[in-house]
C-alpha cells in the first residue's frame, strides 16, 4: 500500500512539473566585441517586418524589449549603437500518451488493466532577439527562447507569456565577458 501511495505522489509531482511552462534560453555572441560601449538602441524595421506573427504580437514583443533594455540603462535613439531585430519560429507538437488502468484484482493483487490513449496538441514557439552593431551592420549577440505558447485565447496571459520570453532571453544580455576577451586576447 505504501508503494502505491509513493507512486501516486511521484505521479502528481511529475504532472505538476510538466504543467509548468518553462522557457529554454540559449545565447551566442561575438567574443571580440566590447558590450560596454553600447548605450543606445533602435529597432531594425527590415528584420522585424519579416517576423511571421501578427502585427499586434510584434508590438507586444517590441514593447517588452524596449522595457527590458531601458530598465538596464539603454536609451532608445535615432542614432543607435545597436539595432534590435526579432524573428520567430513555431512548431506544432502532437503527443500520444498510453494510459494504463491500475486497480486491485483477485486476492488483493494489483493489476494493470486495459488502458486508453490521450492525444495532446501543443504549440512550441521560438523567439530570436538579434542585436546588431549599428556601425558595422554585424550581428554581435543573439538570444533564443523556446517554450509553449498556449494561452487559451486569454490576452492577459498572452501578454504575460511574451514578457516572460523577452525577460528570460534578455536576462543573458549583456554577456559577462572576461577582460582578455574584450581586448581581443585569446585565453
Amino acid at each position: 500500500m505504501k508503494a502505491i501511495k509513493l507512486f501516486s505522489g511521484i505521479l502528481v509531482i511529475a504532472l505538476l512539473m510538466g504543467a509548468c511552462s518553462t522557457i529554454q534560453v540559449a545565447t551566442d555572441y561575438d567574443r571580440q566585441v566590447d558590450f560596454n560601449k553600447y548605450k543606445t538602441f533602435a529597432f531594425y524595421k527590415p528584420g522585424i517586418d519579416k517576423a511571421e506573427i501578427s502585427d499586434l504580437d510584434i508590438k507586444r514583443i517590441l514593447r517588452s524589449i524596449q522595457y527590458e533594455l531601458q530598465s538596464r540603462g539603454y536609451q532608445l535613439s535615432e542614432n543607435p549603437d545597436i539595432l534590435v531585430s526579432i524573428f520567430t519560429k513555431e512548431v506544432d507538437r502532437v503527443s500520444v500518451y498510453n494510459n494504463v488502468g491500475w486497480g486491485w484484482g483477485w486476492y488483493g493483487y494489483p493489476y494493470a488493466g486495459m488502458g486508453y490513449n490521450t492525444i495532446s496538441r501543443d504549440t512550441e514557439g521560438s523567439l530570436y532577439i538579434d542585436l546588431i552593431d549599428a556601425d558595422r551592420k554585424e550581428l554581435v549577440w543573439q538570444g533564443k527562447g523556446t517554450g509553449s505558447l498556449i494561452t487559451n485565447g486569454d490576452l492577459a496571459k498572452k501578454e504575460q507569456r511574451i514578457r516572460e520570453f523577452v525577460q528570460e532571453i534578455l536576462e543573458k544580455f549583456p554577456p559577462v565577458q572576461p577582460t582578455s576577451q574584450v581586448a581581443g586576447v585569446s585565453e
Side-chain angles (χ1 to χ4, degrees), residues 136-154:
R136 297 180 315 162
K137 304 291 190 263
E138 291 180 1
L139 181 67
V140 293
W141 186 90
Q142 182 178 67
K144 173 188 172 189
T146 302
S148 174
L149 298 176
I150 300 299
T151 57
N152 296 326
D154 184 333

Side-chain angles (χ1 to χ4, degrees), residues 38-86:
Y38 299 124
K39 305 293 182 206
T40 59
F41 72 96
F43 293 105
Y44 185 63
K45 188 168 174 32
I48 293 168
D49 286 344
K50 294 178 184 176
E52 295 180 6
I53 55 175
S54 77
D55 288 346
L56 293 171
D57 284 341
I58 289 173
K59 286 180 186 179
R60 290 178 181 110
I61 292 169
L62 298 182
R63 277 193 295 258
S64 292
I65 291 171
Q66 182 173 341
Y67 173 81
E68 288 297 323
L69 289 176
Q70 287 179 328
S71 70
R72 289 173 170 78
Y74 297 92
Q75 298 297 316
L76 189 60
S77 171
E78 290 187 23
N79 188 20
D81 300 323
I82 54 175
L83 299 170
V84 179
S85 187
I86 63 167

